[in-house]
Amino acid sequence: MTICFDTNVILDGVLQRTPYQQAATGLIHAVERGDLTGQLCATTVTTVYYFVQKRYGGTAAQQDIQDLLGLFDVAAVNRRVLAQAAESEFADYEDAVLHSAARTAGADGLVTRNAADFSAASLSVHTPTELLTILDYRRE
């Protein structure tokens, strides 16, 4: 199963944002173990760099990006993805871009803390806790 991670889930794990860190970190570890294939939208990578650099400095940001790129596939953002997002039913363009990039890159679903923001999604949408429950069920 290939799951595209919304930026908020990655930031929760990397920046250790409570109370969301535990579920986000659990999902990142699931990618490390190979329980699922993780995917990041290309825009997520730049956003993560920005916030980590702001809090911890450039060296930490570079290391976090290298670590993420070693674990996750990257869903490209190109003209086609941006145009599909602009034509979508999504209220938020950034969410539309993430969804369009994930679809174009072959993801099976998305994981986000803001599932309601993805009501127009054609992919399955899970909260981190829901996805962890699904993964635990599959491991039994």
Side-chain angles (χ1 to χ4, degrees):
M1 169 176 12
T2 300
I3 298 293
C4 187
F5 283 58
D6 193 359
T7 306
N8 59 42
V9 177
I10 296 298
L11 287 173
D12 290 344
V14 172
L15 298 178
Q16 303 173 1
R17 301 193 299 195
T18 56
Y20 312 109
Q21 174 192 3
Q22 187 174 3
T25 302
L27 289 173
I28 293 168
H29 289 309
V31 173
E32 288 176 322
R33 286 190 307 271
D35 294 342
L36 63 96
T37 300
Q39 187 182 83
L40 301 175
C41 182
T43 58
T44 295
V45 178
T46 59
T47 301
V48 168
Y49 183 92
Y50 172 80
F51 282 105
V52 173
Q53 182 271 330
K54 191 172 177 180
R55 182 177 289 183
Y56 299 115
T59 301
Q62 288 174 339
Q63 185 60 57
D64 283 347
I65 294 304
Q66 289 175 355
D67 292 346
L68 289 171
L69 293 176
L71 286 176
F72 290 85
D73 295 334
V74 177
V77 175
N78 56 27
R79 180 182 300 272
R80 178 177 167 218
V81 165
L82 295 171
Q84 287 173 349
E87 296 168 3
S88 75
E89 301 291 323
F90 279 79
D92 182 88
Y93 185 64
E94 186 176 9
D95 292 337
V97 169
L98 185 133
H99 179 264
S100 180
R103 277 187 49 213
T104 300
D108 300 306
L110 303 165
V111 62
T112 180
R113 267 195 293 110
N114 305 318
D117 293 348
F118 289 88
S119 61
S122 61
L123 297 171
S124 62
V125 178
H126 310 280
T127 67
T129 304
E130 290 169 345
L131 187 54
L132 283 170
T133 300
I134 292 167
L135 292 173
D136 284 343
Y137 177 77
R138 289 179 62 205
R139 292 176 82 191
E140 293 178 355

